[in-house]
Amino acid sequence: MLVLGIDTATKVLNLAIVNNSEVIIDYKVNRMEKTHSTLILSALNNMLNLSGIKLKEIEGIAVSIGPGSFTGLRIGLSTAKGLAFALSIPLIGVSSLESSAFSWLSLPGILCPIIKARRGEYYFALYEYKNKDSSIVKDYQCAKWVEIKQELLEYRDHIYIFGDGIEDIIKDEKIENYGHIANIYFINNSLNTANAVSVALLGEERIPKKECDDIYKLLPLYISKSAAEVLIEKDPVLIIKK
């Protein structure tokens, strides 16, 4: 089954196509000064041309629904919904943190995917995989690194932490060569930036199980409030100011 994966949760625009658990193509674009909205359709067209696959051959779409960039998530989800509707194919929403953890199934311990949020905070969750089945040790949260670190140190198991924003933590902690703090092990890999392949693979698993989402009801997974919402809470008059 040809499944298109879309991940716009971070500053990297990532698209991928998988077929029967095999990766056909993994296409990444660092948006630099541009936004996902100006890149996503041309990136999709370029990826299809490189792979030799026609859009009408895609049989399902899996999209990252967050947590992550507020604007990026909306763009990715809107694109996925439009394509799924136009092609009359299944749509599956996948958590950004779950797809990130899915990339590290072989690690013997608790997995802690992390995504940089705003105001010095990070989105994170804790997963444990046994026999390819996942269980949530701690559900999605948003907190500052000092709070996350304190909580992780309470576990006896090895905890592997990875994801977008990990470089800032390593720099602040003055950790060399991606070492560890007690039971917390830092992982460096190109998979830290985006996970469209994992998104697509998870979607491919769920389509036969009929675990698809409603195009009209699927929404981004927001854990923290956007910058605009925070400003309005501080000064409600902002909403009517010119």
Side-chain angles (χ1 to χ4, degrees):
M1 172 179 283
L2 287 170
V3 176
L4 168 65
I6 300 174
D7 184 2
T8 55
T10 69
K11 64 183 179 181
V12 176
L13 168 61
N14 191 195
L15 306 173
I17 297 175
V18 302
N19 185 28
N20 297 326
S21 299
E22 293 187 5
V23 180
I24 304 301
I25 187 169
D26 182 10
Y27 191 89
K28 295 181 180 180
V29 180
N30 194 321
R31 74 185 190 192
M32 300 300 287
E33 299 300 323
K34 297 183 178 180
T35 63
H36 287 321
S37 61
T38 62
L39 295 171
I40 191 165
L41 293 180
S42 60
L44 176 60
N45 186 57
N46 290 340
M47 182 186 68
L48 291 172
N49 288 336
L50 287 172
S51 66
I53 295 172
K54 296 180 180 179
L55 184 59
K56 64 181 181 181
E57 294 178 306
I58 300 296
E59 300 169 88
I61 297 177
V63 59
S64 175
I65 58 172
S69 163
F70 289 92
T71 303
L73 291 173
R74 288 195 296 270
I75 292 167
L77 184 54
S78 296
T79 302
K81 285 184 174 184
L83 291 172
F85 178 80
L87 298 171
S88 297
I89 56 178
L91 174 67
I92 301 91
V94 178
S95 158
S96 308
L97 295 170
E98 181 184 8
S99 64
S100 182
F102 187 78
S103 303
W104 297 99
L105 296 180
S106 61
L107 292 178
I110 295 175
L111 308 180
C112 180
I114 193 167
I115 296 176
K116 193 172 184 179
R118 295 175 181 269
R119 302 178 295 278
E121 294 182 324
Y122 297 87
Y123 304 115
F124 77 104
L126 299 180
Y127 296 89
E128 191 169 24
Y129 281 84
K130 292 182 179 179
N131 300 320
K132 293 188 177 181
D133 290 326
S134 66
S135 60
I136 298 176
V137 178
K138 184 178 182 63
D139 212 345
Y140 320 125
Q141 300 286 328
C142 185
K144 293 186 180 297
W145 167 243
V146 64
E147 298 167 332
I148 299 172
K149 175 183 173 182
Q150 183 177 358
E151 180 170 344
L152 298 184
L153 289 172
E154 294 177 359
Y155 287 85
R156 293 184 178 180
D157 304 89
H158 283 186
I159 294 179
Y160 298 92
I161 185 169
F162 44 84
D164 176 61
I166 194 175
E167 295 289 347
D168 293 340
I169 295 173
I170 289 173
K171 182 178 179 180
D172 291 342
E173 291 284 357
K174 297 181 173 59
I175 298 173
E176 297 183 359
N177 300 320
Y178 288 87
H180 66 97
I181 301 174
N183 63 320
I184 306 172
Y185 290 79
F186 295 85
I187 305 296
N188 176 33
N189 191 282
S190 60
L191 290 174
N192 282 344
T193 55
N195 301 282
V197 168
S198 295
V199 170
L201 290 171
L202 285 165
E204 188 181 38
E205 283 185 3
R206 293 171 185 174
I207 291 174
K209 299 176 183 177
K210 306 297 182 182
E211 297 176 358
C212 304
D213 289 289
D214 188 319
I215 290 178
Y216 302 103
K217 295 181 180 179
L218 183 61
L219 298 171
L221 175 61
Y222 294 144
I223 296 177
S224 64
K225 296 177 181 178
S226 68
E229 289 174 318
V230 172
L231 285 173
I232 290 172
E233 283 186 354
K234 289 182 178 179
D235 186 0
V237 180
L238 281 173
I239 200 168
I240 59 174
K241 284 182 179 178
K242 293 183 180 181

